[in-house]
């Protein structure tokens, strides 16, 4: 049964490392710019939006264009956060997808 104990310790160690990575991702803020800098979004590595800046001149554009640009910027920011999170977790798990039930 020594193998099971060793496996459990490894799983606990990995869980602590995952928590540390998640804490770090919560603190990291990424900036995404769209529309030639007309829209800037700040998002954490865990996908929490922290800021939104819109150039006032950009708001004078056609409403549909503004909406499309904003949506594109939001989607890009969300994808950036997801990619950073997956990359950090993949580095920890060695690309094996983690352990079911621990993530």
């Amino acid at each position: 049964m020594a193998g099971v104990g060793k496996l459990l310790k490894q799983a606990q160690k990995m869980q602590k490392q995952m928590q540390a990575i998640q804490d770090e991702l919560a603190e990291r803020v990424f900036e995404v710019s769209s529309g030639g800098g007309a829209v800037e979004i700040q998002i954490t590595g865990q996908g929490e939006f922290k800021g939104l800046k819109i150039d006032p001149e950009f708001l004078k554009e056609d409403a549909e264009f503004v909406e499309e640009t904003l949506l594109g910027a939001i989607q890009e920011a969300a994808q950036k956060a997801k990619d950073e999170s997956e990359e950090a977790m993949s580095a920890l798990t060695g690309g094996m997808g983690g352990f079911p039930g621990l993530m």
Side-chain angles (χ1 to χ4, degrees):
M1 287 298 219
V4 173
K6 184 177 179 182
L7 183 60
L8 182 58
K9 283 186 179 191
Q10 287 176 337
Q12 289 172 336
K13 181 180 176 184
M14 183 174 275
Q15 191 171 23
K16 285 180 184 177
Q17 290 173 328
M18 284 182 186
Q19 185 60 50
I21 288 172
Q22 289 173 349
D23 292 345
E24 181 183 328
L25 287 169
E27 295 297 319
R28 283 186 73 190
V29 177
F30 303 99
E31 290 192 19
V32 175
S33 180
S34 186
V39 177
E40 293 180 12
I41 294 178
Q42 294 179 335
I43 188 169
T44 69
Q46 285 192 323
E48 180 182 347
F49 290 93
K50 290 293 194 177
L52 171 67
K53 289 172 74 175
I54 302 173
D55 183 336
E57 290 297 313
F58 176 65
L59 294 176
K60 296 177 182 177
E61 297 289 336
D62 176 64
E64 187 175 328
F65 176 68
V66 171
E67 290 168 354
E68 288 174 4
T69 304
L70 283 171
L71 181 58
I74 291 167
Q75 290 170 335
E76 183 180 342
Q79 187 64 49
K80 173 103 175 149
K82 180 182 176 194
D83 290 347
E84 291 291 330
S85 178
E86 287 176 356
E87 184 178 319
M89 288 299 172
S90 180
L92 173 65
T93 62
M96 65 183 183
F99 291 102
L102 291 181
M103 292 181 75

